[in-house]
Amino acid sequence: MPNKIEVKKTNYGALTTLTTVFFFWGFIAAGNSVFIPFCKTYFHLDQFQSQLIDFAFYGAYYLGALGLFLFGTSSGKDLVGSWGYKKSIVYGLLFSAIGAGAMIVSVYLNMFTGMLIGLFIVALGFSLQQTSANPFMISLGDESTGSSRINLGGGINSLGTTIGPLIVSLALFGTASAISEEMIQSLSLSKVILLYACVGGLFIGVAALFGFSKKVPEGIVVDNEGLKENEDVQKAVRTLLLITGLLIVSFAPVFYSYKSDLNWSSEDAERIRIIGWSAGLVVILVGLIYASIKGASQKKGWGAMQYPQLTLGMLAIFVYVGVEVAVGSNLAELLQQPEFGGYNASQIAPFIAMYWGSLMIGRWAGAINAFDLSSLTTKLLRFFVPLIAFGVVLILTKISGYEIAPLYWYVVCVLIQIGAFFITNDKPALTLGVFGTLGAIATLIGLLSTGMVAVYAFLSAGLFCSIMWPCIFSLSLAGLGKYQTQGSAFLVMMILGGAIIPPLQGKLSDVIGIQPSFVVGALCFAYLAFFAVYVKQLLNKQGVDFE
């Protein structure tokens, strides 16, 4: 019989402080909604250059987490583990502040390359923060309820992300509605500099709040001997370096194809791009499956990758981030089609807001079990909190000046999600399995229907994505012991899915149409449902039982 994990009391003081930090992360990240259109207009970007903005951001997550691992293997020291989660988050925030400073200088000097470097530095700081914050959330209480605490942080983060664009837009443009090109062109440069000065100041302020809080423990989860042990992880190092090298080989021709002085036909250039993005996807899939098989059978030399729940979880994070970003990125194109409403740009905005708001709805609901409440109170909150969050999204959308009437009946999808929460009862594997299945079903309904039924089906992907991150993190790190921070870095690397899967769906839509291209989402959800079932069996064999 599997052994039950010893129940650990939740440190609510530290949890409160950490969730405050999550809120500021979400709020500050809202600056990107101004940063991207500003760069496109102010620096006169072409298509290739605009793609570099997202690529720099997601690439920093991958390279930052990879750098942490490589430093650890070369020095024989788990950097995050030796600093502790608390100091690692503080250092990450301060590093992001340096990036905000670089962006200020770059705007002032009219240097787009400098802006990319600044954004890359900010995201490197985020990578360190993410690597530390997620296992920190798990360590603040019983491991079996760790996903609820991560959901709480995610819910607060989503709240910051939801209200952040409104406040930033009001501060810079005097309006919360969509930002036009004319508004950006007339924007005073001093306001943009002031924005990123405030962003940098908030990074420093939050670092001070977190660093000086006596409620927050240091978060060192391995003993000194374990930290100093220079173990052989060369097989994991070689595999990750090989994956990185092959990704560079895959993407280099893609970016080269955007050069304006090439004599290639548009068809040849598009073919190169499709092959490049597809090759990148194959590299990740084959590399992680290989690591999972070899690591589980050989163990020595693989470090955290000797645990199949981690390597398969890395693929799950890659797929999850990919489908979450892909659906949100391709909804606008779908909604412009006559059979899906034929909406114009201003009419599309409420639907996009509801998709991203759906993440907040689910995370608020998923966070309820992070608190020690009576059974009746938990059930009541599980029903009413998602409806309250739905109302908040509608109100904020209305305040932004958009029509919300087409979204009223979306409450049916929210009620379905509420039912799923009652069925799964905060069990990570069961929750991921049910929500992955519902996501696949919703995507199939969207593929096989038209009109508002299809629109709601695709929007509901946000509801079903909302609680996947904490479930995947909890399941993937379970039973890793001293390898937990190393495993967390590996998982953060796989945020790279947000840079690979969405462009692939976009290219696929050019070939088979926008609606059929959402089959990518169905496949992603299907893998997540499979992972949930399979990882539960793996953990049971290892004597770990969350449920």
Side-chain angles (χ1 to χ4, degrees):
M1 290 292 291
N3 297 320
K4 290 285 184 181
I5 300 174
E6 183 181 351
V7 176
K8 180 180 177 182
K9 202 170 182 180
T10 301
N11 183 339
Y12 286 109
L15 182 63
T16 301
T17 305
L18 188 53
T19 52
T20 303
V21 176
F22 270 79
F23 172 82
F24 280 108
W25 290 343
F27 181 85
I28 293 166
N32 277 350
S33 65
V34 175
F35 168 65
I36 293 176
F38 168 76
C39 279
K40 288 181 179 178
T41 301
Y42 183 75
F43 292 107
H44 308 290
L45 302 183
D46 57 24
Q47 184 182 9
F48 166 63
Q49 291 169 324
S50 66
Q51 288 189 6
L52 283 178
I53 296 172
D54 281 337
F55 201 79
F57 186 80
Y58 287 111
Y61 274 101
Y62 179 86
L63 293 176
L66 178 62
L68 281 175
F69 171 63
L70 293 179
F71 177 86
T73 58
S74 62
S75 65
K77 183 178 184 180
D78 180 351
L79 197 60
V80 172
S82 60
W83 284 343
Y85 295 140
K86 181 177 180 177
K87 286 184 179 178
S88 297
I89 291 173
V90 171
Y91 294 157
L93 286 164
L94 294 176
F95 202 77
S96 293
I98 295 173
M103 285 195 278
I104 292 171
V105 174
S106 300
V107 172
Y108 184 77
L109 297 177
N110 194 28
M111 294 174 55
F112 174 64
T113 301
M115 293 288 282
L116 285 178
I117 294 172
L119 180 63
F120 184 82
I121 294 171
V122 169
L124 281 178
F126 284 170
S127 176
L128 178 55
Q129 295 163 44
Q130 288 272 15
T131 300
S132 311
N134 289 286
F136 199 9
M137 275 289 197
I138 295 173
S139 72
L140 290 178
D142 182 45
E143 191 175 25
S144 65
T145 57
S147 62
S148 295
R149 289 186 293 281
I150 298 177
N151 259 325
L152 176 63
I156 299 299
N157 179 271
S158 293
L159 177 62
T161 303
T162 301
I163 68 175
L166 302 180
I167 296 175
V168 171
S169 183
L170 283 169
L172 292 181
F173 301 101
T175 177
S177 58
I179 301 170
S180 66
E181 184 173 328
E182 292 76 16
M183 294 166 68
I184 295 174
Q185 290 174 337
S186 62
L187 179 64
S188 170
L189 196 62
S190 61
K191 284 190 174 182
V192 180
I193 292 175
L194 179 61
L195 167 66
Y196 289 105
C198 291
V199 167
L202 280 173
F203 280 132
I204 295 171
V206 175
L209 170 70
F210 197 73
F212 291 115
S213 174
K214 295 182 179 180
K215 297 178 180 178
V216 182
E218 292 300 319
I220 299 177
V221 295
V222 291
D223 59 32
N224 290 332
E225 290 304 315
L227 290 173
K228 295 177 181 177
E229 185 178 358
N230 189 7
E231 295 187 356
D232 176 19
V233 290
Q234 291 308 306
K235 292 177 181 177
V237 171
R238 287 196 296 267
T239 300
L240 290 173
L241 288 178
L242 179 60
I243 289 174
T244 303
L246 291 175
L247 287 175
I248 293 172
V249 171
S250 300
F251 291 138
V254 174
F255 290 116
Y256 182 76
S257 71
Y258 283 100
K259 289 189 65 175
S260 58
D261 58 349
L262 293 179
N263 293 320
W264 296 357
S265 66
S266 59
E267 291 80 6
D268 288 340
E270 282 302 303
R271 190 177 300 111
I272 289 295
R273 293 163 194 165
I274 292 172
I275 292 173
W277 288 113
S278 301
L281 178 63
V282 171
V283 166
I284 293 293
L285 294 177
V286 174
L288 291 180
I289 292 173
Y290 169 82
S292 178
I293 295 172
K294 290 294 186 179
S297 61
Q298 299 177 357
K299 296 190 182 299
K300 182 177 174 58
W302 285 97
M305 282 187 165
Q306 67 186 269
Y307 296 94
Q309 64 263 37
L310 176 70
T311 47
L312 295 177
M314 290 169 67
L315 184 55
I317 287 289
F318 178 87
V319 164
Y320 153 71
V321 177
V323 68
E324 179 181 283
V325 177
V327 173
S329 298
N330 288 282
L331 269 176
E333 179 67 23
L334 180 86
L335 291 165
Q336 293 177 50
Q337 308 306 312
E339 60 269 34
F340 299 99
Y343 297 102
N344 59 39
S346 62
Q347 294 171 319
I348 287 171
F351 294 97
I352 303 300
M354 181 54 71
Y355 174 75
W356 294 110
S358 294
L359 297 172
M360 184 180 77
I361 294 170
R363 287 167 182 166
W364 280 19
I368 293 170
N369 275 17
F371 303 98
D372 186 14
L373 305 171
S374 68
S375 176
L376 178 60
T377 302
T378 299
K379 289 178 181 178
L380 289 173
L381 289 176
R382 192 170 285 161
F383 180 81
F384 286 109
V385 165
L387 296 177
I388 293 171
F390 174 62
V392 169
V393 176
L394 288 179
I395 291 170
L396 291 174
T397 305
K398 183 70 174 178
I399 291 174
S400 300
Y402 298 111
E403 176 59 47
I404 61 174
L407 296 170
Y408 289 155
W409 284 104
Y410 186 64
V411 70
V412 174
C413 299
V414 177
L415 290 172
I416 292 173
Q417 186 197 49
I418 291 172
F421 273 116
F422 274 96
I423 292 171
T424 56
N425 197 29
D426 202 46
K427 298 177 180 178
L430 181 60
T431 299
L432 183 61
V434 169
F435 278 71
T437 301
L438 287 173
I441 292 172
T443 309
L444 289 174
I445 291 173
L447 287 168
L448 299 174
S449 60
T450 57
M452 198 54 67
V453 171
V455 172
Y456 278 7
F458 288 132
L459 284 179
S460 67
L463 293 171
F464 304 130
C465 279
S466 61
I467 45 71
M468 288 185 170
W469 174 279
C471 291
I472 296 169
F473 242 87
S474 295
L475 294 167
S476 301
L477 297 182
L480 265 63
K482 65 182 178 182
Y483 292 111
Q484 196 171 72
T485 54
Q486 187 184 106
S488 179
F490 290 164
L491 292 172
V492 170
M493 286 174 61
M494 291 299 106
I495 292 176
L496 185 67
I500 295 180
I501 293 179
L504 270 178
Q505 180 175 343
K507 295 299 181 185
L508 185 62
S509 71
D510 292 336
V511 178
I512 64 176
I514 184 62
Q515 184 185 18
S517 73
F518 278 86
V519 70
V520 171
L523 294 174
C524 290
F525 281 123
Y527 173 75
L528 292 166
F530 160 77
F531 171 74
V533 174
Y534 189 65
V535 76
K536 187 175 186 300
Q537 297 174 355
L538 284 175
L539 293 177
N540 283 339
K541 290 180 181 178
Q542 296 173 18
V544 179
D545 183 11
F546 279 178
E547 304 178 359

